Every structure is written in C-alpha cells, then in structure tokens.
Amino acid sequence: MNKKNFKLPPPEIKIELINKFEKGDLEELCDATELAVQEGGGFGWINPPPRKVLKDYWNGVLIMPERNLVIGRLDKIIAGSCQILKPSRNNEAQSHICNLTTFFLAPWARGYGVSPKLIEYAERYVQKKNFKIITLDVRETQLRAIEIYKKIGYQCFGSNDYYANVNGKYIKGLYFYKNIS
C-alpha cells in the first residue's frame, strides 16, 4: 500500500448521559480530569487533587438528584464531560433555567469536535426536560471555550473581575446564557 494514500478513519465521538460507571469509566474520567486541570482546563481545581478525592467527587455527582453527568468519548475513551445542574425543587421562579457546569475536555481530545457535541447533547436533553434557558460561566482565559459558546449562540451577559483566584492572581469570569425554547 502506498503510504501517501493511507488515511486514518475519523475518530469516533460518542456523547451520553450516564447514571452509573461501567468498568474503566471512573478511571478514564479521573485521568481526563487530571490532564485538564494540569492544562488549566477550567474545571475549578488549580492542581489535581488526590485520586481518591476525584473518585469520591465523581461518584458523588452520580448520586446528586440535581445533577446529570454527560460524558464525551473519543474512540471509546472518556475525553471530557459537562454537568447539567438543575434548580432545587423549591425554586419555582427559576424552574425554567438550568446551568452547564464543570465542563472540561482532556488536552489530547481537543480539536476533534467533542466540545460542541457535548454542549449540543446537553441542550437537547434539557429541552426534553422543558428547560428554556441554559446558563454557564467560564474564566476569561478559556478562549477556545468562549469562542465555541459564542459560535453556538450563547450570549455574554456579565462578568466578575474576581471570579477565580489562581496562584494569587484574580481572573475575570464571564457569564453566558442561551434561550433554547
């Protein structure tokens, strides 16, 4: 076979909402989380916590009734996730709004289109649950994430100059919303 004509197939992207971890999922999710945190991926941690803390965190996400975990796989390996945070049951006035939070992608999976697919999946899911508005927030240093949010219709509605403190330096945060009704 001529090497010039050899093309690899495009990577397989699979997005899904999970309610339990299958064999290997928790380890893959922790691996991706650690890599994203090390690269400043906006997950919230500045340094990766011990593995037990990560495992406890992810296991806790699955049992919280107000949270849904959406994961993205690239060639069957967990590459990132986002969480859908629903309002508490007593918050009738904002029962039409949900929040996308703790959105991240491992550095090795960037550039393949996983991020927009994660967001699109979450949007379709919350539309089926009768939500009308999605909100999210992001550090101003997450330029690629901001670009993606704007490209798919999210509107910036505010900022906070003291959103995050990383190594003694404040980083501005931006707040976005999208009407999905």
Side-chain angles (χ1 to χ4, degrees), residues 27-174:
E27 290 298 327
E28 288 178 8
L29 188 55
C30 288
D31 289 345
T33 304
E34 288 171 346
L35 291 171
V37 170
Q38 289 168 351
E39 290 288 317
F43 189 85
W45 278 301
I46 297 169
N47 298 298
R51 184 56 70 112
K52 180 177 181 345
V53 171
L54 274 179
K55 286 181 174 183
D56 290 347
Y57 172 80
W58 287 117
N59 281 316
V61 166
L62 291 185
I63 62 171
M64 295 179 70
E66 288 88 13
R67 289 188 183 255
N68 293 116
L69 179 58
V70 180
I71 61 164
R73 296 180 193 270
L74 187 61
D75 288 336
K76 300 181 182 176
I77 299 171
I78 294 178
S81 74
C82 71
Q83 294 175 49
I84 300 164
L85 179 58
K86 299 175 279 188
S88 60
R89 293 180 186 153
N90 68 313
N91 191 351
E92 292 178 0
Q94 293 180 332
S95 64
H96 64 291
I97 300 172
C98 66
N99 183 261
L100 289 187
T101 186
T102 58
F103 178 64
F104 77 96
L105 196 63
W108 58 265
R110 295 178 185 155
Y112 293 100
V114 178
S115 292
K117 286 184 176 16
L118 271 167
I119 298 166
E120 290 164 11
Y121 183 99
E123 288 177 355
R124 284 191 310 273
Y125 178 79
V126 299
Q127 275 180 319
K128 291 177 186 174
K129 299 294 183 184
N130 295 317
F131 288 99
K132 309 293 183 221
I133 305 292
I134 297 176
T135 61
L136 58 85
D137 53 86
V138 62
R139 292 181 203 167
E140 73 173 347
T141 55
Q142 302 297 324
L143 300 177
R144 180 64 180 132
I146 293 166
E147 181 183 321
I148 290 168
Y149 298 144
K150 287 180 177 179
K151 185 176 182 178
I152 60 176
Y154 284 80
Q155 303 294 314
C156 185
F157 69 89
S159 65
N160 175 352
D161 290 339
Y162 305 98
Y163 175 82
N165 187 319
V166 179
N167 300 321
K169 181 182 176 200
Y170 287 109
I171 297 174
K172 182 188 283 188
L174 303 175

